[in-house]
Amino acid sequence: MSFGFAPSSAASLSTSVASAPRVLEPAQWAAAGIPLLRNPREVVSGLHARHRPTPSTAVIAVLDPDDRLRASASFTRGSAPADGWMLRNALLAQLRRVVPHDLRRRTPVRTAVLLYCRDGDTRWTEEDGAWMWGLRDACTLHGLRCGAYITLTRDGWQVLGEGRGGRRPNLDSAPEPFGTAGSPPPPPRTGGGPSEVLRRAVAR
């Protein structure tokens, strides 16, 4: 005599959720009501000058209500297949390094935008969809508004879902001086030791 157990509906549900693709399609991104950047080229130029990204580099930036850069951080994505959940965790770790969360606010005030540098053209890819999923989820967990997702290639930059872009800066162009790319962000308004840590992290 043998005994067996049929998988429960809860187990089946968790398996299907775990295997569901963590990717946002362009139509889903467009329907999410992502706020428009007032001057996307200024944002892109500023991040390009600060971080000098190379292919597979992601730059996460936090903007104040006036679209001024308050903090940013960059990191290189590994060679593992793009997964929205893993990318979310990487973005969240960088956000926690450079800015305190805004989870106590009823409505998000600051906005996070993501600049991702990659080879290829500016058309949407499944990897872009995974970054979009990760950005949206990281913003929710950190109390921020989800902002623009921007790709930077050798052809130029493109704000996906908006149709706005330009040829410069690009992956091969020299960084513009800070004077034309926007002024450096002011230091955080916190006091004591943590303030110094954040001040160094903002410049990275």
Side-chain angles (χ1 to χ4, degrees):
M1 182 181 294
S2 62
F3 296 90
F5 297 91
S8 66
S9 58
S12 300
L13 179 60
S14 62
T15 301
S16 63
V17 170
S19 61
R22 302 178 181 97
V23 172
L24 288 181
E25 300 284 344
Q28 294 173 302
W29 184 255
I34 305 300
L36 299 177
L37 288 171
R38 297 178 186 176
N39 191 333
R41 185 183 184 281
E42 183 177 300
V43 172
V44 174
S45 297
L47 295 178
H48 182 257
R50 285 169 173 80
H51 296 275
R52 305 192 179 191
T54 56
S56 298
T57 299
V59 183
I60 182 75
V62 178
L63 310 179
D64 68 12
D66 295 320
D67 271 7
R68 289 176 299 193
L69 181 63
R70 289 301 174 187
S72 63
S74 62
F75 63 97
T76 303
R77 189 176 89 76
S79 58
D83 176 83
W85 186 78
M86 303 262 315
L87 299 180
R88 185 276 308 273
N89 291 344
L91 292 172
L92 196 55
Q94 297 299 322
L95 288 172
R96 287 169 174 163
R97 280 182 53 237
V98 297
V99 290
H101 67 74
D102 280 347
L103 294 172
R104 293 184 180 89
R105 293 182 178 273
R106 289 188 176 183
T107 305
V109 174
R110 297 180 294 182
T111 303
V113 301
L114 177 61
L115 174 71
Y116 183 59
C117 308
R118 59 171 173 77
D119 292 315
D121 56 34
T122 57
R123 289 177 293 183
W124 181 89
T125 67
E126 190 166 312
E127 181 184 23
D128 294 325
W131 279 113
M132 290 172 168
W133 191 98
L135 175 62
R136 185 188 64 177
D137 219 41
C139 288
T140 299
L141 294 174
H142 207 65
L144 302 171
R145 287 200 309 171
C146 179
Y149 173 71
I150 308 163
T151 57
L152 185 73
T153 67
R154 288 182 169 80
D155 294 333
W157 57 273
Q158 180 80 21
V159 184
L160 267 67
E162 291 186 21
R164 292 192 290 175
R167 293 184 179 180
R168 294 182 68 87
N170 57 59
L171 279 177
D172 296 325
S173 64
E176 296 182 0
F178 276 111
T180 60
S183 57
R189 295 181 180 177
T190 55
S195 176
E196 194 60 35
V197 174
L198 284 175
R199 189 174 293 113
R200 290 196 298 269
V202 165
R204 292 175 185 169

